[in-house]
Amino acid sequence: MAFFILLLRKHSADVIIPSIKQEDNPDLVYILKYIQEHYRTVTMKELSSFFNYSERHLQRLIQKGTGMSFHESITRLKMRRAKEMLAVPDISVSIIAEELGYSDIGGFRAAFKKASGKTPQEYRAEIGRKTQQK
């Protein structure tokens, strides 16, 4: 038990924890793990085919289990990774967008601004200022 507590403390931002009992749907943990491992490219169609559920049923499972829609879960994972990558000044915004599965940099910029309230460049500048202050 102590191991899991320490693990969650260190990696709580990296995990989507289901809010329902696993007995309600034993596949939910596997579905969420699959989403976390393939968030860059996974689609609802691919996910439903892989787990042999209808897209509608799978959407309800994810919403009930996480409190977020499939799209919100994917966006959350992408934005978390984007913030990590933006903290590295040598990685260009276009490479970050491509790495996260965005077909164009404009779509990435819009999604990032919607999620964080800042453009990627503004976020990167803010991180740089905080680093210099330390």
Side-chain angles (χ1 to χ4, degrees), residues 42 44 46 48 51 64 77 83 87 96 101 104 111 114 122 130:
V42 70
M44 181 56 78
E46 173 193 340
S48 65
F51 286 98
K64 184 178 179 185
L77 292 167
K83 287 178 180 180
I96 294 171
D104 68 292
K114 184 177 179 184
E122 291 169 342
K130 287 181 182 178

Side-chain angles (χ1 to χ4, degrees), residues 47 65 85 100 103 107 119:
L47 194 64
M85 294 176 80
L100 295 175
S103 58
T119 66

